[in-house]
Amino acid sequence: MTELHDLIRLLPKAELHLHIEGSLEPELMFLLSQRNGVQLKYDSVESIRAAYQFDNLQDFLDLYYAATSVLLKEQDFYDLTWAYLLKAKENNIVHAEIMFDPQAHTSRGVPFSSVIGGIYRALTDGYEKLGITFKLILSFLRHLSQEEGFMTLEEAIPYKGWITAVGLDSSERNFPPDLFTDLFEKAREMGFLTVAHAGEEGPPEYIWAALDLLKASRIDHGNSSTEDPDLVDVLGIYEIPLTSCPLSNLKLKVIQKMEDSPVKEMMDRGIKVTVNSDDPAYFGGYLNDNYIAVADALHLSQDEIIQLVKNSFDASFITDGEKRAFLKKVEEASGVV
Ligand code: ADE
Ligand code: ZN
């Protein structure tokens, strides 16, 4: 078993589903609250950690948005992103496609330029100093209106060259993808790819809508897809990847135990599924912890782990040539164990 854990740690990997705000560790939250003079409800790092009590998506999101109050300056977004990149390096992540939620900040009066400026500066430093390549995904909050989404898209125009795709996240129930059809159409006209959280806690119909209406190239989570055999066929045939997040699913009670993770079933049924950490500061682990959790619970073989890692590059937004180069590195590293 430890040999498999070693393999997981040693393989170069891509992470495709990571909310940068969800990588805000209590230590940095506390430091930023003091640096910016922002009063938190908590008086220590320990009490922040102790407050991480939630067992559903909405209770988690309430904490997640409250925590963003410490992020005010461009440097704060830099520090947040740099901290994630150091963790990524430790986890042997060589390519990261990172989501950010500008509306969680602009709604508090933080300029869009500070948010994206700090994140992008850290990502370019991460490439130069740590060798980690990246893509950036602007996520719209689905509990806000499509109108507000359009305003955010407008603010993104000067930074178009920095952003690869738009996404859709936040509270899923009662906020179906249908509500954002026009916004995503506009984003596609502007040249952005699209992804969407769907089927995390919502029904398969939300995944169909993300594909048919939002033209998502990739579905974030997609747990409920396994309930619908036609959907499983479509995801397989059209090679639409799913970005699964095992520790997130467990913490938010989307699954009751790790053995219920759909990762192996999805693979066995021909879906290009990937493993990701979602909001690692909140869900108890970074990328390797997620791989190890599913590998142990689902008794994954060495070949299955290698397949998941290859999927992470295949499902990414890099070029075919870049994919081939990374897949070669995975092959080389696989031979070492
Ligand atoms: N925003 C951050 N994490 C999320 C998740 N797991 N689902 C929906 N929105 C999110
Ligand atoms: Zn997510």
Side-chain angles (χ1 to χ4, degrees):
M1 194 50 84
T2 49
E3 228 179 76
L4 273 192
H5 294 185
D6 287 344
L7 175 72
I8 288 167
R9 292 190 193 99
L10 177 148
L11 289 174
K13 293 169 289 284
E15 171 138 76
L16 307 181
H17 183 160
L18 180 281
H19 303 265
I20 198 64
E21 295 87 350
S23 70
L24 179 57
E25 291 285 350
E27 287 78 7
L28 183 58
M29 197 190 305
F30 197 67
L31 186 150
L32 293 178
S33 78
Q34 296 197 315
R35 189 162 94 189
N36 289 331
V38 174
Q39 187 72 35
L40 285 175
K41 274 200 290 184
Y42 319 103
D43 59 4
S44 68
V45 170
E46 292 69 37
S47 56
I48 297 176
R49 215 177 278 285
Y52 284 4
Q53 306 284 348
F54 44 81
D55 59 9
N56 62 74
L57 179 57
Q58 192 55 54
D59 287 355
F60 155 67
L61 288 170
D62 291 345
L63 268 172
Y64 167 96
Y65 293 125
T68 61
S69 65
V70 301
L71 296 163
L72 292 177
K73 313 259 171 57
E74 194 254 17
Q75 187 63 41
D76 305 337
F77 290 92
Y78 180 96
D79 292 344
L80 171 69
T81 308
W82 185 252
Y84 166 71
L85 289 166
L86 293 178
K87 291 283 191 181
K89 188 73 185 169
E90 268 177 40
N91 280 256
N92 229 333
I93 293 169
V94 293
H95 176 72
E97 302 197 346
I98 290 174
M99 284 181 255
F100 71 116
D101 288 336
Q103 292 163 301
H105 314 298
T106 52
S107 63
R108 300 180 288 111
V110 178
F112 187 97
S113 58
S114 302
V115 179
I116 195 165
I119 295 172
Y120 196 80
R121 187 162 63 84
L123 289 172
T124 50
D125 276 358
Y127 175 60
E128 280 164 23
K129 297 179 180 149
L130 306 172
I132 299 172
T133 58
F134 65 89
K135 302 283 180 196
L136 202 45
I137 302 171
L138 183 166
S139 276
F140 296 108
L141 301 182
R142 68 204 306 163
H143 68 269
L144 301 180
S145 69
Q146 176 165 257
E147 237 2 86
E148 287 163 294
F150 270 112
M151 279 153 54
T152 300
L153 186 60
E154 185 98 8
E155 287 191 277
I157 290 172
Y159 307 96
K160 205 168 152 277
W162 291 1
I163 302 167
T164 300
V166 299
L168 189 65
D169 63 5
S170 196
S171 324
E172 187 176 9
R173 277 201 195 102
N174 302 320
F175 299 102
D178 323 35
L179 297 171
F180 300 93
T181 305
D182 295 344
L183 176 62
F184 273 59
E185 189 178 340
K186 177 76 186 159
R188 279 183 287 109
E189 275 170 22
M190 289 168 66
F192 295 116
L193 294 169
T194 62
V195 298
H197 281 55
E200 178 181 16
E201 56 170 27
E205 288 72 30
Y206 281 29
I207 302 176
W208 283 113
L211 297 174
D212 292 341
L213 303 176
L214 307 187
K215 314 284 182 206
S217 313
R218 209 159 68 197
I219 298 291
D220 293 315
H221 294 294
N223 292 64
S224 62
S225 62
T226 55
E227 295 165 21
D228 183 336
D230 290 340
L231 182 54
V232 170
D233 284 349
V234 164
L235 294 170
I237 291 165
Y238 292 99
E239 296 190 44
I240 312 276
L242 302 182
T243 61
S244 195
C245 305
L247 288 172
S248 163
N249 287 169
L250 186 65
K251 201 78 177 161
L252 300 181
K253 295 276 191 288
V254 173
I255 56 175
Q256 300 311 309
K257 50 188 190 309
M258 195 45 86
E259 286 73 10
D260 297 335
S261 163
V263 164
K264 184 168 159 52
E265 181 186 350
M266 287 166 172
M267 251 199 297
D268 291 346
R269 293 174 71 181
I271 296 176
K272 195 173 283 176
V273 60
T274 65
V275 171
N276 306 273
S277 70
D278 205 8
D279 301 284
Y282 292 87
F283 298 148
Y286 283 79
L287 188 58
N288 286 346
D289 302 312
N290 277 272
Y291 271 93
I292 287 170
V294 271
D296 288 355
L298 305 179
H299 307 292
L300 298 184
S301 67
Q302 183 164 319
D303 284 349
E304 285 169 327
I305 288 164
I306 293 168
Q307 188 58 55
L308 285 169
V309 169
K310 287 183 173 171
N311 288 353
S312 76
F313 293 105
D314 254 338
S316 73
F317 291 140
I318 58 181
T319 65
D320 287 348
E322 289 166 332
K323 284 182 190 180
R324 276 194 297 277
F326 278 127
L327 291 173
K328 188 155 168 269
K329 287 190 180 155
V330 174
E331 289 286 345
E332 285 163 6
S334 311
V336 173
V337 175

